[in-house]
Amino acid sequence: MTETPETTATTETTAATEIADLVASLGREADRDRPDETTPDVGIVMGSDSDLDTMYGAYEALFDLGFAEVTDVDDPPENRFTFESYVVSAHRTPGLMYTYAETARERGLDVIIAGAGGKSADLPNMVASIAYPIPTIGVPVQEKSVDSVIGMPTGAPIVAVDAGKSFNAGLSAIQMLAREHDELEDRLIDYHEDLTADVARVSRDLHDRGVEAFREDE
């Protein structure tokens, strides 16, 4: 279908309305008085849904250690520890980005994981600045995004992982929360012990079977 000025205007109006609705919903969440146990502990934001494959490691880390995703604030999961996720663009939807970060504390978030790609990967930095003092973990989605993500000035801190290492970002978020929650600390210890056991098993298997037999099954 050929776009006309009328259809273009309608599309722009619809997009503006959807953004305004999101901004308003974040404001309503911030104004609600809810127990900490019912609000998300971790917020995950990314500049585009095309970043989701790279950011999925953060979700895997959270799922592996017993977190659940909040998709309906009026019907949160039974899990004690939860997370939320949004697509928020620093360049295309700056108002939404600002509201998300500005309301993070009032909405119950304790840590934010923010991922962005390209040479101008500004989302993690901007979120870190606006949401301060809530800690923000930056995930450069691409190698060329690293300098932008870690380039915060003194006094405006951001924690960052290497390009694409979103799983580590998820673990880091849990480590931050574990300082106040013994249950999460125990889960992290169990996770690390499982990794150690896996290395020991592989080491024994390689030694006992020999390199050729071991490689055949890899």
Side-chain angles (χ1 to χ4, degrees):
M1 183 178 67
T2 302
E3 283 198 356
T4 66
E6 291 77 12
T7 58
T8 300
T10 299
T11 300
E12 291 175 350
T13 300
T14 301
T17 300
E18 291 176 348
I19 293 298
D21 287 345
L22 268 176
V23 168
S25 69
L26 291 171
R28 288 193 297 271
E29 286 180 42
D31 290 338
R32 294 175 66 175
D33 185 16
R34 293 186 292 161
D36 289 344
E37 292 79 8
T38 65
T39 60
D41 304 282
V42 180
I44 301 178
V45 290
M46 63 201 78
S48 169
D49 61 345
S50 63
D51 299 332
L52 182 58
D53 286 347
T54 301
M55 293 297 294
Y56 192 72
Y59 296 97
E60 290 181 313
L62 293 167
F63 284 135
D64 286 353
L65 275 82
F67 282 64
E69 184 173 11
V70 175
T71 57
D72 183 348
V73 295
D74 294 318
D75 186 23
E78 295 182 359
N79 301 50
R80 168 59 186 86
F81 302 104
T82 59
F83 66 91
E84 66 174 19
S85 57
Y86 285 92
V87 172
V88 179
S89 172
H91 303 124
R92 295 185 298 275
T93 58
L96 175 60
M97 176 203 66
Y98 191 94
T99 300
Y100 181 88
E102 187 183 39
T103 62
R105 187 174 185 177
E106 287 74 18
R107 293 187 295 107
L109 297 180
D110 291 308
V111 58
I112 298 172
I113 300 172
K119 286 188 176 181
S120 181
D122 295 325
L123 179 64
N125 315 67
M126 295 302 296
V127 167
S129 295
I130 300 167
Y132 184 88
I134 293 178
T136 297
I137 304 170
V139 181
V141 172
Q142 302 158 328
E143 287 287 345
K144 60 184 177 182
S145 311
V146 173
D147 288 346
S148 179
V149 172
I150 66 175
M152 291 288 276
T154 300
I158 186 171
V159 176
V161 297
D162 199 2
K165 297 293 181 64
S166 62
F167 191 94
N168 282 350
L171 286 182
S172 292
I174 299 169
Q175 286 178 305
M176 293 175 183
L177 295 169
R179 305 312 301 149
E180 295 186 9
H181 301 283
D182 292 341
E183 181 181 351
L184 288 181
E185 185 170 312
D186 291 340
R187 294 181 193 180
L188 285 168
I189 292 171
D190 290 343
Y191 172 78
H192 189 264
E193 288 178 349
D194 287 343
L195 291 181
T196 302
D198 285 343
V199 173
R201 177 187 57 78
V202 171
S203 179
R204 172 59 66 184
D205 197 29
L206 173 62
H207 175 272
D208 291 352
R209 298 179 61 213
V211 65
E212 295 299 337
F214 183 87
R215 290 185 65 197
E216 287 178 1
D217 292 337
E218 284 297 293

